[in-house]
C-alpha cells in the first residue's frame, strides 16, 4: 500500500517507516517542510490549513502520529492549546481535504494515549469501553479520537492505538527516567503506588503494522505490556537491571509539582489498563516483562 505518515520524524514514525518499507509498502511522510529523507515527502501547514493535495490523493492508508510532545514543556495555557490543536486540527485538515475530493482510504491508524482514562490511581483496570477522564489529557484524547472517527464517514476503517509509555533508548520518557538511575539516584516518585503502563518500541511498531495490514482491527485498543508495575516496582526493576542502587526515600509530590506544575500528574498518578482486546486479535508481545525490555534496550546491545 501507499502509506502516508504524519509525525514521521518522531520516535515511532522513524521505526515504523523502516519496517513498512522492509515489508514492501511505499512510505510517504507529511512534514512541515521539505527535508532530506529516504521517503517521499509532502508538506502541510496546519496553522494555515494548507496541505499538498497529492498527499491525500496518492495514499491508501494514513498513520496519524502528529502532535506536540506532552512532556516537553510545562502546561501553560498556550502549551495546552498547542497539545490539543496539534492533534485535532491536523486530523481535521486531513479529513476535510479527503472529503473535498471524495477520497476514502483502506484505513487510518491514529495514535492516542492511555491517558484518555484520566490521571487517576485506582484498582480499576480500564477497558476501551470505559469513559474518558474529565481532566486535561482525558479531554485531549476525547477530542483527538473524535477527529479521527470522522473518517468513518469516508468509508474508511479507523483504528486508534491508546499508547502507554514507550520504552526506547533513543528518546521518549524512558531516556529521561534513566538518567538519574544511571547516576545512582533511583527512587520512587510521590507515593510510589501509582501504576506505570509501558510498551517496548518494537511491540508498539508491530501493533501499528498489524493495524494497517489486518482488516479485522477497528476501534480503540489499549497498547501496553501485561507487566504493569507500581512506580516503586518500576524504578526498582530498572535499577536492578542496571546494577544501580535504589533509595528508600521517595521524591515528594510537592517537589515534582513545583518543577512541572500540572504536568506532574502524569508522573504521580496512574492506573492499569486491560489489554485483552489487542491480545484477542492474535497479536503476541515480544516483551511481556519490564526486566527483559530494559535488558534488550540497555544491556544486550
Amino acid at each position: 500500500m501507499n502509506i502516508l505518515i504524519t509525525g514521521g520524524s518522531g520516535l515511532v514514525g522513524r521505526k515504523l517507516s523502516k519496517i513498512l518499507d522492509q515489508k514492501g509498502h511505499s512510505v510517504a511522510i507529511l512534514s512541515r517542510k521539505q527535508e532530506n529523507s529516504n521517503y517521499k515527502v509532502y508538506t502541510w501547514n496546519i496553522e494555515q490549513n494548507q496541505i499538498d493535495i497529492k498527499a491525500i490523493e496518492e495514499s491508501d492508508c494514513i498513520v496519524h502520529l502528529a502532535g506536540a510532545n506532552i512532556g516537553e514543556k510545562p502546561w501553560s495555557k498556550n502549551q495546552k492549546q498547542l497539545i490539543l490543536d496539534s492533534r485535532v486540527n491536523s486530523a481535521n485538515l486531513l479529513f476535510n481535504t479527503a472529503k473535498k475530493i471524495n477520497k476514502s482510504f483502506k484505513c487510518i491508524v491514529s495514535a492516542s494515549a492511555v491517558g484518555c482514562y484520566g490521571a487517576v490511581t485506582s484498582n480499576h483496570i480500564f477497558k476501551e469501553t470505559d469513559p474518558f477522564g474529565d481532566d486535561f489529557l482525558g479531554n485531549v484524547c476525547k477530542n483527538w479520537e473524535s477527529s479521527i472517527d470522522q473518517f468513518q464517514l469516508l468509508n474508511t476503517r479507523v483504528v486508534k492505538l491508546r499508547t502507554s509509555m514507550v520504552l526506547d533508548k533513543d528518546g521518549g520518557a524512558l531516556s529521561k527516567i534513566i538518567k538519574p538511575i544511571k547516576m545512582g539516584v533511583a527512587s520512587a516518585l510521590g507515593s510510589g503506588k501509582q501504576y506505570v503502563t509501558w510498551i517496548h518500541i518494537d511491540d508498539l511498531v508491530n501493533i501499528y503494522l498489524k493495524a494497517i495490514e489486518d482488516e479485522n482491527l477497528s476501534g480503540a485498543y489499549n497498547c501496553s505490556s501485561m507487566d504493569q508495575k507500581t512506580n516503586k516496582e518500576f524504578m526498582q526493576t530498572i535499577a536492578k537491571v542496571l546494577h544501580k542502587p535504589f533509595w528508600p526515600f521517595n521524591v515528594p509530590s510537592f517537589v515534582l509539582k513545583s518543577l512541572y506544575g500540572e504536568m506532574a500528574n502524569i508522573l504521580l498518578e496512574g492506573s492499569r489498563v486491560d489489554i485483552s482486546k489487542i491480545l484477542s486479535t492474535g497479536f503476541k508481545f515480544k516483551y511481556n516483562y519490564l526486566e527483559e525490555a530494559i535488558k534488550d534496550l540497555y544491556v544486550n546491545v
Side-chain angles (χ1 to χ4, degrees):
M1 288 187 285
N2 294 327
I3 300 172
L4 179 69
I5 302 179
T6 75
S9 61
L11 198 67
V12 177
R14 292 195 305 271
K15 301 208 170 183
L16 179 60
S17 298
K18 197 171 182 180
I19 284 188
L20 289 170
D21 186 50
Q22 291 169 352
K23 292 277 287 184
H25 297 291
S26 177
V27 176
I29 305 296
L30 196 53
S31 175
R32 291 177 177 274
K33 57 186 178 181
Q34 275 295 339
E35 55 188 69
N36 291 326
S37 173
N38 295 325
Y39 312 105
K40 185 181 291 186
V41 178
Y42 299 104
T43 58
W44 64 343
N45 188 311
I46 301 164
E47 291 78 12
Q48 295 180 17
N49 214 38
Q50 295 175 342
I51 186 171
D52 184 341
I53 199 165
K54 287 184 180 178
I56 300 298
E57 290 174 336
E58 298 176 2
S59 300
D60 300 314
C61 174
I62 297 177
V63 178
H64 187 42
L65 303 173
N69 188 333
I70 64 167
E72 188 174 19
K73 297 177 182 178
W75 290 351
S76 64
K77 185 178 178 181
N78 287 342
Q79 185 64 14
K80 279 183 168 183
Q81 197 63 49
L82 176 63
I83 289 170
L84 177 63
D85 290 348
S86 62
R87 288 160 170 78
V88 174
N89 293 353
S90 56
N92 287 339
L93 177 55
L94 293 169
F95 171 75
N96 290 331
T97 306
K99 183 182 178 184
K100 192 181 297 182
I101 62 172
N102 197 28
K103 166 77 176 182
S104 64
F105 306 91
K106 291 182 179 177
C107 65
I108 178 165
V109 183
S110 176
S112 185
V114 294
C116 66
Y117 306 112
V120 293
T121 301
S122 72
N123 288 322
H124 182 71
I125 301 174
F126 287 92
K127 294 185 176 182
E128 290 85 353
T129 50
D130 279 310
F132 291 96
D134 59 2
D135 57 4
F136 171 62
L137 282 187
N139 182 60
V140 167
C141 290
K142 182 178 181 179
N143 286 280
W144 190 4
E145 292 193 14
S146 291
S147 66
I148 296 300
D149 284 335
Q150 295 177 103
F151 282 84
Q152 294 176 58
L153 300 173
L154 301 177
N155 195 31
T156 294
R157 179 169 60 88
V158 172
V159 183
K160 298 160 290 189
L161 300 181
R162 295 175 175 173
T163 309
S164 48
M165 182 195 300
V166 181
L167 302 191
D168 185 76
K169 65 180 179 179
D170 296 328
L174 182 63
S175 62
K176 296 177 181 177
I177 290 170
I178 214 94
K179 286 179 182 177
I181 296 177
K182 283 183 171 180
M183 293 166 63
V185 191
S187 59
L189 306 180
S191 70
K193 296 177 181 178
Q194 69 275 29
Y195 288 97
V196 179
T197 60
W198 60 271
I199 186 168
H200 191 290
I201 182 69
D202 291 353
D203 282 327
L204 180 59
V205 166
N206 283 327
I207 291 177
Y208 270 94
L209 182 63
K210 184 172 182 62
I212 291 165
E213 295 184 337
D214 188 341
E215 294 179 1
N216 294 313
L217 270 69
S218 66
Y221 293 86
N222 290 332
C223 299
S224 170
S225 74
M226 65 180 183
D227 187 23
Q228 299 171 28
K229 299 180 178 296
T230 63
N231 179 267
K232 182 179 179 180
E233 294 167 339
F234 184 83
M235 303 297 272
Q236 280 178 323
T237 301
I238 298 176
K240 175 187 170 186
V241 172
L242 299 182
H243 303 292
K244 298 296 181 181
F246 179 83
W247 296 88
F249 312 106
N250 296 14
V251 178
S253 298
F254 75 84
V255 172
L256 294 169
K257 287 180 178 178
S258 66
L259 288 172
Y260 302 115
E262 185 183 351
M263 189 173 73
N265 289 339
I266 62 177
L267 301 173
L268 296 170
E269 304 291 347
S271 294
R272 292 165 291 179
V273 296
D274 184 278
I275 61 168
S276 57
K277 187 179 178 186
I278 190 65
L279 292 176
S280 72
T281 69
F283 182 81
K284 290 185 175 15
F285 284 82
K286 184 178 179 183
Y287 300 97
N288 287 299
Y289 298 98
L290 181 61
E291 191 165 334
E292 62 187 10
I294 298 300
K295 280 182 179 177
D296 172 72
L297 293 170
Y298 289 97
V299 179
N300 305 330
V301 292

